[in-house]
Amino acid sequence: MFETTLAINGLIAILRGLHPDKAEAVGSALYAAGMRIIEVPLNSPQPLRSIEILRKTLPEDCLIGAGTVLSAVQVQEVRDAGGQLIVMPHCDEAVLHAAKNAGLYLTPGVATPTEAFAALAAGADALKLFPAEQVGVSAIKAWLAVLPTGTALLPVGGITPQNMAPYLQAGAAGFGLGSALYSPGLPADEVGRRAHAFIQARQAAMD
């Protein structure tokens, strides 16, 4: 399901700082705009509660996951809350194996080819290229020349509708969208508007 859901528009909404009482409204706005993968970082207020709310209120074709997952214990907590996807800022072997053993989709953070190969060997479904500004566009093309065919690289960090095109032209499969999409206190309708702008920009860059 992860591969087909990601292929819809290649975008993952990162809702860092989301409060549970805003989860349903923000999630609904994102879904209406066309987003189909939503991530709540675990350094947000009551993140597991927000994950529960999103999973219960959004259709089944929307994947709900957790970001900034740092331990095997957190993997189990996310699963128990209804999360389906584990997103990491790093490539910790214990967390990688915990996620796959729990039957969850996995997108670890990588910043070198060595980390990328290790993550794929552990069963990663996609690779979070992080931080994208540091690794750079040129790395994507070089990595994809040696990584297994079909590897999904997802730049995260500093992505805006205006700077997506070079990453896509280099072979990126999509993006994780952070503060340019959502920040705490932003009205749900504005989050939806921004999501729509990202989706349009990606489509324009692909045409």
Side-chain angles (χ1 to χ4, degrees):
M1 181 179 178
F2 178 80
E3 183 178 353
T4 55
T5 304
L6 182 67
I8 292 171
N9 55 44
L11 304 178
I12 300 175
I14 303 172
L15 305 183
R16 190 176 306 278
L18 179 69
H19 194 277
D21 65 5
K22 306 294 184 185
E24 182 173 359
V26 171
S28 295
L30 287 169
Y31 188 87
M35 300 293 291
R36 292 296 181 268
I37 306 178
I38 299 176
E39 164 199 335
V40 180
L42 292 186
N43 55 1
S44 304
Q46 297 178 265
L48 298 173
R49 179 58 184 149
S50 290
I51 290 170
E52 289 176 349
I53 292 169
L54 289 168
R55 181 63 287 155
K56 289 176 181 177
T57 58
L58 291 175
E60 288 299 316
D61 67 340
C62 187
L63 283 177
I64 308 300
T68 319
V69 180
L70 304 178
S71 72
V73 171
Q74 290 178 329
V75 169
Q76 188 59 49
E77 291 174 341
V78 171
R79 185 178 185 276
D80 291 344
Q84 304 153 280
L85 169 68
I86 297 296
V87 183
M88 307 157 55
H90 62 334
C91 191
D92 183 283
E93 186 174 332
V95 182
L96 295 172
H97 290 308
K100 298 314 292 184
N101 288 339
L104 303 180
Y105 298 113
L106 174 64
T107 303
V110 297
T112 68
T114 298
E115 291 176 340
F117 277 106
L120 292 172
D125 296 283
L127 301 177
K128 172 183 174 179
L129 193 71
F130 178 79
E133 306 104 315
Q134 176 182 314
V135 179
V137 172
S138 59
I140 295 175
K141 187 176 292 186
W143 288 23
L144 290 176
V146 295
L147 290 172
T149 300
T151 297
L153 288 181
L154 308 174
V156 179
I159 303 301
T160 68
Q162 292 74 36
N163 68 10
M164 297 166 75
Y167 289 101
L168 292 167
Q169 291 161 6
F175 303 91
L177 310 177
S179 58
L181 173 67
Y182 174 81
S183 59
L186 203 64
D189 59 350
E190 174 60 16
V191 178
R193 187 196 68 77
R194 293 185 182 192
H196 185 64
F198 268 108
I199 291 170
Q200 284 190 315
R202 180 183 183 273
Q203 186 58 52
M206 297 293 287
D207 288 343

